[in-house]
Amino acid sequence: MNDTATLIHACYGAYQSRDRKAFESLLADDFTFSSPLDDNIDKAAYMERCWPNGTEHQNFLIEKLFTDGDEGFVTYRCERADGSAFRNTEFFKTHAGKVRHVDVYFGSDIASEVNEEAIQAILDGTIEAIRARDAQALLKDYAEDMIVFDVLEPLRYVSSKEVGERAAQWLSSFEGPIQYELKDVDITIDDEVAFCHCLNHVIGTKKDDGEEIDMTWRSTLGFQKLDGVWKVTHSHASVPFNMVTGMASTNLKVS
């Protein structure tokens, strides 16, 4: 890493850690800053106007950094304290180990990326909970009034309490470890709602008769952001059936 890149990394590190003294020490006395909202303001104006905004920013991830001598371009992703994020590009001019000027070009919010990560985290948590046969862990991402259409009777479950009881019953029916995975996961997200569809595959041994289970079923999940937190509000599981025998086809495999 060259001196310009090291200086730029140090600036973001000090800004993220809210170390004002360290940050100011990296700026030249004649430092200036420009953005769509700021026209070549000086160091004092920057510290008064822009530095306080950093309390809303939790994490900077530098995605691209190009330097040429004393100049550098940076594209970064910044995550806010509320879980949202945005992406900006900044142009640095440096001299003698100090930053002399920064131009910032505002990007758009990238909530969709953050939201997809949150949904994926719920799915990953579901996998871990089922493998651990932990019904309570499974419930932590479920809305209290969620509705579930399961492959077994009754027609529906209408609360996380009912879903938890059903999950505990199912998980306790296995002897030993459970192999469980989600395949062909497809997620569609808006700002406040999302859904995904996937194939569920489980392998395990039934406790009552020792039967080996190797089953695949389909599921669609509905999500809603409630008080800023993504929750599962609906789950619909199904299996196709054989029209000749009238029996459910639980042994189908992904082609």
Side-chain angles (χ1 to χ4, degrees):
M1 187 180 298
N2 59 37
D3 292 343
T4 301
T6 300
L7 176 59
I8 291 172
H9 273 279
C11 285
Y12 288 110
Y15 192 90
Q16 179 175 309
S17 65
R18 309 306 297 148
D19 188 340
R20 178 168 180 151
K21 183 177 180 180
F23 184 79
E24 287 191 272
S25 72
L26 300 172
L27 306 182
D29 292 339
D30 59 350
F31 170 80
T32 54
F33 176 84
S34 293
S35 78
L37 303 177
D38 309 284
D39 184 16
N40 215 43
I41 61 176
D42 63 15
K43 182 176 181 178
Y46 174 85
M47 296 305 298
E48 179 182 357
R49 184 183 304 178
C50 303
W51 174 259
N53 296 334
T55 58
E56 302 175 2
H57 305 151
Q58 283 195 329
N59 186 48
F60 283 89
L61 174 63
I62 294 178
E63 297 179 330
K64 299 289 184 181
L65 172 57
F66 302 98
T67 62
D68 183 9
D70 289 338
E71 298 179 340
F73 267 106
V74 183
T75 296
Y76 62 83
R77 165 180 164 162
C78 179
E79 297 178 358
R80 301 186 183 96
D82 64 3
S84 63
F86 63 91
R87 181 177 286 112
N88 285 347
T89 293
E90 297 187 349
F91 173 61
F92 282 73
K93 291 182 179 180
T94 72
H95 179 70
K98 302 282 187 178
V99 178
R100 292 194 64 190
H101 181 77
V102 173
D103 287 306
V104 60
Y105 304 92
F106 292 161
S108 60
D109 275 14
I110 50 176
S112 60
E113 292 183 17
V114 175
N115 288 337
E116 184 164 354
E117 290 174 0
I119 298 298
Q120 187 61 56
I122 291 176
L123 298 178
D124 292 342
T126 296
I127 294 171
E128 293 176 5
I130 290 178
R131 289 175 177 174
R133 297 194 294 176
D134 188 342
Q136 287 303 310
L138 193 63
L139 289 179
K140 71 180 180 65
D141 293 313
Y142 288 178
E144 290 186 5
D145 59 350
M146 75 173 302
I147 295 177
V148 171
F149 298 159
D150 200 3
V151 293
L152 300 179
E153 297 179 1
L155 283 175
R156 62 181 181 178
Y157 298 92
V158 294
S159 70
S160 60
K161 181 177 182 296
E162 290 186 3
V163 174
E165 292 171 351
R166 162 68 180 129
Q169 180 186 42
W170 178 60
L171 293 172
S172 66
S173 70
F174 289 94
E175 182 72 45
I178 300 174
Q179 298 180 51
Y180 178 75
E181 61 182 336
L182 300 179
K183 296 183 176 181
D184 297 342
V185 177
D186 187 275
I187 302 171
T188 300
I189 301 177
D190 205 343
D191 291 339
E192 301 292 333
V193 295
F195 72 89
C196 82
H197 56 79
C198 58
L199 298 175
N200 300 248
H201 182 215
V202 66
I203 299 175
T205 303
K206 291 179 64 176
K207 185 181 295 183
D208 55 357
D209 59 9
E211 179 186 358
E212 295 293 326
I213 300 295
D214 186 346
M215 177 181 175
T216 300
W217 69 95
R218 308 169 296 195
S219 67
T220 300
L221 297 171
F223 305 84
Q224 187 175 351
K225 188 180 284 187
L226 304 173
D227 296 325
V229 179
W230 284 102
K231 294 289 185 180
V232 181
T233 55
H234 179 60
S235 173
H236 189 161
S238 67
V239 293
F241 75 96
N242 187 304
M243 294 185 66
V244 175
T245 65
M247 301 293 290
S249 302
T250 61
N251 59 348
L252 298 177
K253 299 294 184 290
V254 180
S255 58

